Amino acid sequence: MNKDIYTVCDVCFHGCRLKEGQIGLCRARSVMNGKTYSISEGDLTSVALDPIEKKPLKRFHPGSMILSVGSFGCNMRCPFCQNHEISMADKKSVFTTGYIYPEKLCDLALSYREKNNIGIAFTYNEPLLYPEYIISTAKLLHQNGMYCVLVTNGCATGKTFDDILPYIDAMNIDLKTFDSEKYSKVLGGDLETVKRNISAAAGKCHIELT
């Protein structure tokens, strides 16, 4: 393949133009054979059984537990990020589990059912950087009567967000400010993209805002 050819990543609004093997701003997606793919999916940095309220979701099965998992990378650069050790990290700078197949992750969630676990929450870093993995896992969870939850900054493209939405039972979107200039220059995000995705999710799944 011609090394001067760029591939545009369409997962988020940044639209990174990447050469073969180059890694995007998020540190979680790259290009192989002219197609973008996630290098963080299934490569977990964090796994914990949490109260659902910690996501935070106040009105989605209150009092239950949920298996929370996360990887590395984020498409924003919030200076106040509490998970910056993993969200701002790349594959070389964090300890990970190695690839965990969706089937194994679903089995892990099922093993905690007796502890009131209702499913899996993709959280800690930005989960919308690996939508393909979430969709595969969500299908298995639903087959087993469990839920798929998303905790996200909401800064994915409309296509990415709309593709994943039918598989999500509940989500918390982090709306960080109503100032579009601060969203862009300070946080590295895009307010209009977040607003668009909040509207898209309304009525399609349970949604709460932080």
Side-chain angles (χ1 to χ4, degrees):
M1 177 171 288
N2 190 333
K3 293 184 178 180
D4 293 326
I5 294 177
Y6 291 90
T7 299
V8 177
C9 180
D10 63 356
V11 166
C12 89
F13 72 99
H14 286 296
C16 291
R17 297 175 69 246
L18 305 173
K19 292 183 179 181
E20 187 77 4
Q22 189 175 6
I23 297 173
L25 178 147
C26 64
R27 303 188 177 110
R29 294 191 71 85
S30 186
V31 173
M32 181 170 61
N33 297 326
K35 295 182 179 180
T36 63
Y37 73 102
S38 170
I39 61 174
S40 63
E41 69 167 44
D43 207 3
L44 306 181
T45 60
S46 307
V47 180
L49 188 64
D50 289 327
I52 192 73
E53 290 82 1
K54 191 177 178 181
K55 293 308 90 194
L57 287 171
K58 183 178 182 180
R59 295 180 174 86
F60 186 75
H61 297 273
S64 62
M65 304 294 285
I66 194 155
L67 185 65
S68 301
V69 301
S71 186
F72 58 87
C74 186
N75 57 346
M76 293 182 67
R77 291 293 179 267
C78 304
F80 47 78
C81 180
Q82 64 179 358
N83 291 329
H84 62 90
E85 295 94 343
I86 56 175
S87 66
M88 306 296 179
D90 58 22
K91 192 176 182 70
K92 296 179 180 178
S93 60
V94 289
F95 174 80
T96 68
T97 58
Y99 189 81
I100 294 180
Y101 284 92
E103 292 83 359
K104 185 175 180 180
L105 189 58
C106 183
D107 286 344
L108 182 61
L110 287 167
S111 73
Y112 286 113
R113 236 175 184 166
E114 62 182 20
K115 295 187 177 181
N116 202 25
N117 178 42
I118 62 171
I120 292 175
F122 291 93
T123 179
Y124 300 133
N125 74 309
E126 179 46 54
L128 286 175
L129 299 177
Y130 41 93
E132 307 92 344
Y133 183 81
I134 293 175
I135 290 172
S136 296
T137 305
K139 289 178 179 178
L140 295 171
L141 290 172
H142 293 160
Q143 289 172 11
N144 287 277
M146 303 192 87
Y147 298 111
C148 184
V149 171
L150 206 63
V151 182
T152 174
N153 62 31
C155 274
T157 60
K159 181 184 184 306
T160 299
F161 196 84
D162 293 347
D163 284 350
I164 202 173
L165 190 54
Y167 303 95
I168 304 302
D169 300 292
M171 69 171 69
N172 185 295
I173 297 181
D174 199 349
L175 177 61
K176 299 174 189 293
T177 177
F178 287 102
D179 187 321
S180 59
E181 185 175 6
K182 287 183 179 178
Y183 236 106
S184 175
K185 293 184 178 180
V186 179
L187 308 178
D190 183 73
L191 177 59
E192 292 306 313
T193 297
V194 180
K195 288 164 59 178
R196 182 268 176 202
N197 289 337
I198 290 172
S199 296
K204 302 289 181 58
C205 72
H206 179 91
I207 180 172
E208 298 184 24
L209 303 182
T210 295

